[in-house]
Amino acid sequence: MYLLLSIFAFGLLVLGHEFGHFIMARVNGVTVEEFSIGMGPKILKKQGKKTLYSLKAFPIGGSVKMFGENEEESGEGSFFSKSPLRKISIIIAGPVMNIIMALIILFTVTLFTGYSSNVVNEIMPGSPAEAAGISVGDRIVRVNGEKAYTFQDISTYIAYNGFKEINLELETKEGLVKKTITPMDSEGRPLIGIVPKTVEKAGFFESVGESMNQGLSLVTQTIFSLKILFSGEATLNDFGGPVTIFKISTEVASISLWALASFIAFLSINLAVLNLIPFPALDGGWILILLVELITRKKLPEKFVGIWNTIGFVILMGFMLLITFKDVFLPGGF
């Protein structure tokens, strides 16, 4: 049951992403030839007036096939004939829809379950926080220069920093204060000894504000993870593919539906940010090409665009296959 819930939830993410592309294509007068969810052979299909709607065997990914997307086809309903700005609006709509979905989920979870803020509610006796003079009511706003929107941000940056000195910026009654703290060792984990203020019943507008904070937090955390990746600090063992995602989703679903919803919001933000990376075959790769065309007022050769996207697709598929092989056959890592 939990696995089915995970597959359904992941399918909603893909559906939302592709629906963003689909709806903006329609708004811009582009004919959508096929709207599909999943990959592989079709298991269900229905032909609409202009669009073939299909469900494929493997619940990974999806696509919106537009008339004139890959070939120089002009005429009514052609993607090729649209201006770069109109094309960008269609491409960027997928990631934007994922962000909107995540914010709606985060708002709902916050409204019904509350949240933990980055305001200090309690200080552990004898802790580094007490020694540094942190007081109840102080709000931690930055950790090592990184903006902290939520308590999760604080925990993440402290964990990443380890047991080295950490610089905190706090909003206090006396104004903005900076503290340097060395975390203590608590069963192998670096802690500074604070307990956050928890809001159990958040009002409507408070939930709106907090969902925005959590959304910004997830975007920031995703970008922070990418920095670690491109700095060479991460290895293949730090990555998880669809198998790992479904496994974690199933475990989270067994805790509660609210926990699964929060995880889906996390995945939705990740999907949005990763898709906006200017890499071939990703939405960001398309946007990069269109921005070049917008600035130069010249269309790039279709042959170049085709090679660009093919290379990106091959690299992404190869990476996904490698990660999936690791998840299935070498779950402990290479």
Side-chain angles (χ1 to χ4, degrees):
M1 176 183 175
Y2 295 133
L3 178 59
L4 291 177
L5 276 174
S6 301
I7 293 173
F8 175 74
F10 190 76
L12 282 180
L13 289 186
V14 177
L15 178 64
H17 182 93
E18 299 304 334
F19 183 72
H21 293 313
F22 174 80
I23 198 67
M24 283 307 297
R26 296 288 293 269
V27 166
N28 284 283
V30 174
T31 299
V32 177
E33 296 180 330
E34 183 178 2
F35 180 96
S36 65
I37 301 298
M39 297 179 69
K42 296 181 179 69
I43 55 176
L44 289 174
K45 62 180 180 179
K46 180 177 177 59
Q47 180 64 54
K49 186 176 180 181
K50 293 183 178 180
T51 306
L52 173 66
Y53 301 91
S54 61
L55 178 66
K56 297 184 178 180
F58 305 110
I60 304 167
S63 66
V64 170
K65 183 182 178 184
M66 294 175 282
F67 172 61
E69 179 180 355
N70 298 314
E71 299 178 15
E72 295 187 9
E73 296 174 305
S74 56
E76 186 180 355
S78 170
F79 179 82
F80 175 81
S81 65
K82 301 302 177 182
S83 69
L85 279 177
R86 284 182 176 272
K87 291 177 182 176
I88 289 172
S89 72
I90 296 170
I91 299 302
I92 204 171
V96 169
M97 184 61 76
N98 278 126
I99 292 174
I100 291 172
M101 289 175 64
L103 290 176
I104 292 172
I105 293 170
L106 293 170
F107 164 77
T108 305
V109 173
T110 301
L111 185 64
F112 284 95
T113 68
Y115 66 96
S116 295
S117 72
N118 53 355
V119 175
V120 178
N121 189 58
E122 184 181 337
I123 298 172
M124 296 171 59
S127 67
E130 183 182 56
I134 294 177
S135 303
V136 171
D138 290 350
R139 180 187 296 273
I140 300 175
V141 294
R142 288 188 182 275
V143 181
N144 278 349
E146 301 284 352
K147 176 70 175 176
Y149 295 97
T150 66
F151 183 72
Q152 183 60 48
D153 291 332
I154 299 168
S155 300
T156 299
Y157 293 135
I158 290 175
Y160 173 73
N161 187 74
F163 298 100
K164 298 177 289 186
E165 277 190 349
I166 195 164
N167 298 311
L168 303 179
E169 289 185 34
L170 305 98
E171 290 179 353
T172 70
K173 294 178 181 178
E174 291 75 32
L176 193 64
V177 173
K178 295 183 179 181
K179 302 280 187 181
T180 300
I181 299 178
T182 301
M184 63 183 180
D185 188 338
S186 176
E187 298 180 351
R189 294 187 304 148
L191 297 178
I192 61 173
I194 61 170
V195 177
K197 180 182 177 181
T198 300
V199 178
E200 294 183 356
K201 292 184 178 180
F204 181 89
F205 292 106
E206 186 179 6
S207 296
V208 170
E210 180 57 23
S211 65
M212 294 296 293
N213 270 338
Q214 291 179 20
L216 288 169
S217 168
L218 290 173
V219 170
T220 302
Q221 292 295 327
T222 304
I223 294 173
F224 183 73
S225 299
L226 289 173
K227 288 180 183 177
I228 295 174
L229 168 63
F230 291 118
S231 67
E233 296 180 51
T235 68
L236 278 177
N237 293 330
D238 297 314
F239 291 88
V243 174
T244 296
I245 290 173
F246 285 129
K247 181 180 178 182
I248 295 174
S249 298
T250 303
E251 292 173 354
V252 171
S254 68
I255 298 173
S256 72
L257 290 179
W258 293 121
L260 176 62
S262 296
F263 184 65
I264 293 305
F266 163 78
L267 289 179
S268 193
I269 291 289
N270 272 255
L271 182 60
V273 174
L274 293 175
N275 255 293
L276 289 173
I277 295 174
F279 187 83
L282 295 177
D283 291 339
W286 268 110
I287 292 171
L288 177 62
I289 288 173
L290 294 169
L291 285 174
V292 171
E293 292 182 353
L294 183 66
I295 293 169
T296 62
R297 298 181 181 276
K298 293 181 180 179
K299 185 167 179 60
L300 293 175
E302 287 298 315
K303 186 176 181 180
F304 168 79
V305 175
I307 293 173
W308 164 268
N309 284 320
T310 300
I311 290 173
F313 181 79
V314 170
I315 292 174
L316 289 175
M317 287 299 101
F319 182 74
M320 181 174 285
L321 287 172
L322 181 60
I323 294 301
T324 302
F325 177 85
K326 176 191 76 70
D327 289 349
V328 174
F329 299 105
L330 299 169
F334 289 103

